[in-house]
Amino acid sequence: MKSIWIVICLCFTAMVPFSHPHSATPAEASPPAKPIPAYAKWSRLAIKEAKKRYPTAQIKDFLYLGRAQQGPDKTVERFKLWVQNQNKEFGLFITIVFDTKTEKVQSISFVESPT
């Protein structure tokens, strides 16, 4: 009789999958965190300044155009935003110039263009 219970218990444990209740399945696993790009600080500033300049507008999208050095002390970050202001939709180029060492903003310029 004991051997029958042992066989039943062994069969039952073979049918139950072995898993830890706190282990994550592939569907539950969180994706690896994406690194924050170096231009993130400047893109937030570009969007903030665009909203100041066009307070009723909606920013539909933006594109990072790149970074350039202007001599040893100046860095330039460039962005293009797609803006919708009432019935008008247009591109907005934003150029941010800042001191490379201190990151103090020296100028921000805006140029509108057709979409």
Side-chain angles (χ1 to χ4, degrees):
M1 185 73 169
K2 235 182 191 182
S3 61
I4 293 175
W5 282 110
I6 292 173
V7 171
I8 291 172
C9 288
L10 287 173
C11 289
F12 181 75
T13 56
M15 292 186 306
V16 176
F18 294 99
S19 68
H20 189 274
H22 299 293
S23 66
T25 62
E28 296 171 347
S30 61
K34 293 182 183 179
I36 298 172
Y39 62 85
K41 171 183 179 177
W42 305 108
S43 63
R44 286 190 297 271
L45 179 61
I47 291 169
K48 178 182 161 189
E49 292 298 318
K51 286 181 178 181
K52 272 194 216 176
R53 191 175 184 102
Y54 303 95
T56 61
Q58 289 183 326
I59 297 172
K60 297 295 188 177
D61 202 359
F62 88 94
L63 176 66
Y64 176 61
L65 298 175
R67 173 181 279 209
Q69 288 296 131
Q70 284 187 344
D73 299 333
K74 283 186 184 180
T75 303
V76 178
E77 294 279 10
R78 296 190 65 233
F79 301 89
K80 181 178 182 185
L81 280 62
W82 283 266
V83 179
Q84 184 174 4
N85 196 14
Q86 296 169 355
N87 294 333
K88 182 182 175 186
E89 198 167 308
F90 57 93
L92 182 63
F93 288 96
I94 300 177
T95 303
I96 301 173
V97 180
F98 62 93
D99 183 283
T100 305
K101 292 176 187 166
T102 65
E103 293 191 344
K104 183 178 177 187
V105 175
Q106 296 175 350
S107 68
I108 300 176
S109 62
F110 301 87
V111 176
E112 290 184 22
S113 70
T115 312

